[in-house]
Amino acid sequence: TAPVLLDLCHDIEDFAPDATLLHYTNPIAIACLAIVDATDVPTLVLCPSAQHTTADLPDYIGAPSDPFSGWVAGIYHPS
């Protein structure tokens, strides 16, 4: 995985230098180490349990679990 990610990161450096890589591949630790050591690409690591974290995140921050609750006619009205 790491060699492919490094090729991708080098393309990002050349063609999209303001981009951030969203990393969602295994092995996460080895791949991240390779990216940090060999490139300057900002990387956001998404844990393989992201789907569970995403479901739990609203509770962690006190937000509604329905992302559209509180929205009326395109205006957010927090409850």
Side-chain angles (χ1 to χ4, degrees):
T1 306
V4 174
L5 283 171
L6 292 179
D7 285 344
L8 177 65
C9 286
H10 293 306
D11 286 346
I12 290 171
E13 289 174 325
D14 292 339
F15 301 109
D18 294 327
T20 296
L21 175 67
L22 301 179
H23 176 236
Y24 189 73
T25 62
N26 282 317
I28 287 178
I30 298 297
C32 287
L33 182 61
I35 292 168
V36 168
D37 283 348
T39 76
D40 292 322
V41 174
T43 303
L44 177 62
V45 179
L46 304 171
C47 172
S49 67
Q51 64 274 17
H52 303 293
T53 303
T54 303
D56 294 337
L57 190 58
D59 289 335
Y60 297 156
I61 64 171
S65 58
D66 177 0
F68 297 105
S69 67
W71 287 87
V72 177
I75 300 170
Y76 183 66
H77 300 278
S79 50

